[in-house]
């Protein structure tokens, strides 16, 4: 992504999350550092994820939200 930023300047980011099983703390830290260093390099950012996936991840004990 750094090469794309250098070549094109500001970028638009689209991320599709199909599943999530957790994240390594070191990876999370490196990702946070990259974001903080490049926050001004993105004009738009969007994350696409299925509603069921989000509910299972953030509300695992709330079965009333899961169909």
């Amino acid at each position: 992504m750094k090469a794309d930023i250098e070549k094109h300047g500001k970028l638009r980011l689209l991320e599709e999350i199909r599943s999530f099983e957790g994240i390594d703390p070191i990876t999370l830290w490196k990702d946070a550092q990259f974001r903080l260093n490049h926050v001004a390099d993105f004009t738009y950012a969007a994350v696409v994820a299925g509603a069921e996936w989000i509910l299972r991840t953030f509300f695992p004990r709330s079965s009333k939200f899961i169909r």
Side-chain angles (χ1 to χ4, degrees):
M1 208 177 300
K2 289 180 184 180
D4 290 327
I5 292 169
E6 290 175 10
K7 183 177 180 180
H8 302 288
K10 293 184 183 273
L11 302 177
R12 294 179 180 183
L13 179 67
L14 171 64
E15 182 171 359
E16 179 182 4
I17 301 173
R18 295 182 182 168
S19 67
F20 182 79
E21 295 180 10
I23 189 167
D24 175 66
I26 294 171
T27 303
L28 181 63
W29 177 249
K30 288 180 180 181
D31 183 58
Q33 286 180 316
F34 179 84
R35 287 188 217 181
L36 289 172
N37 289 328
H38 294 281
V39 69
D41 294 327
F42 297 94
T43 56
Y44 297 95
V47 178
V48 178
E52 183 176 336
W53 177 87
I54 293 170
L55 292 172
R56 287 187 193 277
T57 302
F58 294 104
F59 304 102
R61 291 181 173 75
S62 300
S63 61
K64 68 180 183 179
F65 294 114
I66 307 293
R67 292 183 203 173

